[in-house]
Amino acid sequence: MPPRIALYPGSFDPPTNGHLSIIQRGLKMFDGLIVAVLKNPAKDELFSVEERVQLLRGALNLDKRVQVKTFSGLLVKFAQQEGVNTVLRGLRAVSDFEYEFQMANMNRKLDKEIETLFMMTGEDYFYISSRFVRDVARLGGDVSGLVPQNVLEALKKRFK
Ligand code: PNS
């Protein structure tokens, strides 16, 4: 049987322990994951795409089952390019649902082979979002325990 690989896409600005938890749990269901970092020209970008890739790689401790790549444009196009048809997403709360539901259906409309699989975020992580981590760190709040050690250090450096 060929290895089962899923795509785990996101902005990851910055990667959080919530993301890592989904990756670790995803690896129990898949042989490998491609973490796909969106190259978005967002105005409030904290880390560049290259920095996010490095932060993810650092946090993943060179786990060979996980590849970290970047993509731009449509996710379904990138999935086709990579020969992957399962997209993995974490779902935190009801508030995530509508956006995720629309995105999963839009992606399936664009490519009927694409299946989105949701994992409920663990109870320790359901309130963590990259946006809040960014804001709290920017304002001098303590985000230890919410992000991997290398991300914590990068945040401290950025806002010192
Ligand atoms: O971490 P995020 O910001 O919630 O991730 C969102 C992401 C990157 C998965 C989503 O914005 C995306 O796939 N963008 C690529 C553009 C695309 O394919 N859009 C159509 C689907 S709605």
Side-chain angles (χ1 to χ4, degrees):
M1 216 165 70
R4 292 189 63 84
I5 310 289
L7 207 61
Y8 180 46
S11 304
F12 304 105
D13 188 26
T16 67
N17 283 344
H19 294 130
L20 286 190
S21 161
I22 296 288
I23 292 172
Q24 299 308 341
R25 289 165 58 206
L27 285 170
K28 293 185 186 155
M29 297 192 306
F30 294 93
D31 301 312
L33 294 176
I34 299 173
V35 177
V37 184
L38 177 68
K39 291 192 214 166
N40 57 340
K43 268 196 233 127
D44 63 342
E45 171 179 286
L46 177 58
F47 293 109
S48 69
V49 173
E50 294 72 27
E51 287 171 322
R52 290 179 229 170
V53 168
Q54 289 314 319
L55 288 171
L56 278 161
R57 289 195 177 134
L60 288 163
N61 268 330
L62 305 172
D63 189 325
K64 291 229 164 52
R65 297 168 298 170
V66 189
Q67 300 173 65
V68 184
K69 298 189 175 186
T70 61
F71 78 105
S72 52
L74 286 175
L75 179 67
V76 294
K77 287 245 171 82
F78 182 66
Q80 287 159 1
Q81 219 174 290
E82 295 292 320
V84 174
N85 55 20
T86 307
V87 171
L88 182 64
R89 292 284 288 171
L91 202 56
R92 284 169 304 198
V94 182
S95 50
D96 278 348
F97 181 79
E98 195 171 339
Y99 170 66
E100 294 295 338
F101 181 75
Q102 286 177 3
M103 191 158 71
N105 280 289
M106 178 59 86
N107 283 336
R108 200 170 41 216
K109 167 91 181 110
L110 294 169
D111 179 344
K112 66 177 173 38
E113 297 302 322
I114 295 281
E115 216 40 85
T116 305
L117 207 73
F118 293 101
M119 292 185 81
M120 302 301 285
T121 304
E123 70 274 16
D124 293 338
Y125 304 120
F126 73 93
Y127 63 95
I128 305 179
S129 69
S130 294
R131 206 184 96 211
F132 280 126
V133 164
R134 265 197 322 263
D135 289 350
V136 171
R138 187 176 280 132
L139 298 170
D142 182 12
V143 293
S144 52
L146 308 185
V147 295
Q149 191 58 33
N150 65 331
V151 174
L152 189 65
E153 279 155 24
L155 285 167
K156 281 185 183 155
K157 228 178 185 172
R158 185 66 39 111
F159 294 122
K160 75 168 184 246

